[in-house]
Amino acid sequence: RAKACDLARGLLPLATATNMGVYGNGRAFEYLLTNLLHSPLVEVRTIARLLDENLKMIISAFVKRATNERGEKYRAYLSAAEAGVRSAIGSNGITVAKSEICVTLLDCDPQPVETMIASVLYARSAMSYDDALQKARAMPANEKEKILDALFSSRENRHHKPGRECEYPYFTFDVVADWGVYKDLMRHRMLTRHHQLFTNEHGYWMPEEIKVSEFAEEYRSAMDAACAAYDTIKGDFPNEAQYLVTHGSYNRFMMRMNLREVMHMAELRASPQGHTTYRKVAQELVKRVAEKFPILEKYVFRFVDFADYELERLDAFRKIAKKAE
């Protein structure tokens, strides 16, 4: 049943209603309200007003600036900046992406190993960071591997958090994947993400299991109908047209994160019970980094699962059933 839902989720539109809980402090809610009230979508602004009404019953002093004169000026600044940028760049046509999952390493620390070792030396000496970095760069390869081995060899599983050294090297990825992948990966907090308006114009994901089933044409017909509906209104209502984008539609987004977050995301999202498409993205992130820096695959990415599974969640559900017994 779980597998069937995973395969069929691509048919869901972004307009599908769902439940969610939000937990935060006063400062976080003030910032959230400010951004929600600035949204071009009526639904989002309505939710913001309802959220504001409820919060004012409990922590009014902490969220008042989101809706007072100061909040209005901030939103005016956001609107002016957006309008100015759109005017400056003019019209820009859509370049259609590949109709398949694709991960590109755009930018990265040119010497991530040396950067990590420099932070190791810095924390355990009285030297400046610049001196530590120069010393790390001058080290012979065997000494660098010795330090990496000391850092990672005693790590027994993905639940053993890597040290702060892994937060120094940064990597930027351009990803083409279905919206369901974006929805799952956007929840990671230790990264900067940037997305385009969600669209049906880049094609869509069709699971292999559906391609060979009796539902292939039915699935394709539904997805094509969603794409046609999107095309009908996108010219006049580009923001509202996003409601018609399906979970299975390919979209572009960027993610910038440090090595520690690459490890965390890949180890978590490539686990056997993960969804097929985000497992592939997690695996591709690591592959792109390992292609450029093979030494990281040996020491840093030891707990990333690169296998494929037909029933990803089966073992997890068996464990739950066993605990229930």
Side-chain angles (χ1 to χ4, degrees):
R1 188 162 61 245
K3 179 67 173 180
C5 289
D6 282 347
L7 294 175
R9 84 172 189 178
L11 294 165
L12 293 172
L14 268 64
T16 303
T18 188
N19 295 320
M20 65 175 290
V22 182
Y23 180 86
N25 59 29
R27 179 180 293 178
F29 276 120
E30 179 190 329
Y31 182 69
L32 176 64
L33 285 169
T34 300
N35 283 279
L36 293 180
L37 290 167
H38 177 252
S39 172
L41 298 172
V42 173
E43 179 191 22
V44 177
R45 297 197 300 273
T46 300
I47 290 172
R49 285 192 287 271
L50 292 171
L51 186 60
D52 184 50
E53 289 174 9
N54 282 271
L55 288 170
K56 281 182 176 174
M57 298 178 192
I58 309 166
I59 53 170
S60 59
F62 294 96
V63 297
K64 63 181 181 182
R65 288 184 297 188
T67 53
N68 65 11
E69 183 181 358
R70 182 172 177 173
E72 290 177 3
K73 286 184 177 180
Y74 183 58
R75 290 195 297 278
Y77 147 68
L78 294 175
S79 298
E82 177 64 19
V85 168
R86 289 192 175 276
S87 176
I89 64 176
S91 60
N92 46 28
I94 287 183
T95 301
V96 178
K98 297 178 182 178
S99 294
E100 60 183 6
I101 289 175
C102 178
V103 176
T104 305
L105 178 60
L106 295 179
D107 183 40
C108 64
D109 186 318
Q111 295 182 301
V113 172
E114 289 76 6
T115 299
M116 282 193 289
I117 291 175
S119 69
V120 171
L121 297 175
Y122 179 83
R124 294 160 180 83
S125 72
M127 68 178 80
S128 69
Y129 181 78
D130 188 55
D131 288 341
L133 185 58
Q134 295 305 318
K135 186 171 182 178
R137 289 172 176 171
M139 274 185 184
N142 65 318
E143 282 192 36
K144 293 175 184 177
E145 289 208 38
K146 186 177 179 181
I147 293 175
L148 290 179
D149 186 66
L151 281 173
F152 298 106
S153 63
S154 59
R155 187 170 180 248
E156 296 179 355
N157 56 63
R158 71 177 181 85
H159 299 291
H160 290 178
K161 308 300 182 187
R164 295 289 186 187
E165 298 83 9
C166 295
E167 294 181 16
Y168 284 80
Y170 267 82
F171 301 84
T172 305
F173 303 92
D174 185 32
V175 181
V176 176
D178 62 85
W179 188 87
V181 170
Y182 175 80
K183 179 187 70 173
D184 286 320
L185 298 188
M186 68 178 284
R187 294 179 292 169
H188 286 259
R189 293 182 291 274
M190 286 178 58
L191 58 82
T192 300
R193 56 181 170 80
H194 214 56
H195 68 81
Q196 303 168 348
L197 281 180
F198 299 119
T199 176
N200 274 336
E201 294 172 291
H202 296 319
Y204 52 80
W205 169 64
M206 188 168 180
E208 292 299 320
E209 293 88 343
I210 289 181
K211 285 181 182 179
V212 299
S213 75
E214 62 188 273
F215 303 108
E217 288 306 313
E218 190 174 356
Y219 184 97
R220 190 176 286 110
S221 176
M223 294 294 277
D224 289 342
C227 292
Y230 172 87
D231 288 339
T232 301
I233 71 168
K234 68 177 182 183
D236 294 325
F237 305 100
N239 290 298
E240 289 76 5
Q242 294 177 102
Y243 282 99
L244 298 174
V245 173
T246 64
H247 279 53
S249 293
Y250 288 115
N251 281 274
R252 280 190 181 276
F253 56 95
M254 288 175 57
M255 297 188 297
R256 177 171 171 78
M257 64 191 97
N258 61 43
L259 182 59
R260 186 178 182 186
E261 180 63 5
V262 175
M263 294 170 66
H264 170 66
M265 178 181 287
E267 291 171 352
L268 174 64
R269 298 301 177 182
S271 58
Q273 62 268 32
H275 190 277
T276 302
T277 51
Y278 78 53
R279 287 191 76 251
K280 184 172 182 179
V281 170
Q283 292 166 346
E284 290 297 311
L285 290 175
V286 172
K287 287 178 182 178
R288 297 294 84 78
V289 175
E291 286 169 359
K292 196 171 183 66
F293 308 105
I295 193 172
L296 295 181
E297 183 174 14
K298 177 181 178 181
Y299 291 102
V300 177
F301 299 129
R302 293 185 298 128
F303 300 112
V304 178
D305 191 334
F306 289 99
D308 290 321
Y309 301 91
E310 290 186 357
L311 290 172
E312 300 91 349
R313 303 191 191 186
L314 185 58
D315 285 342
F317 280 122
R318 281 174 173 164
K319 289 178 181 177
I320 292 172
K322 190 172 181 179
K323 285 182 179 179
E325 289 176 4

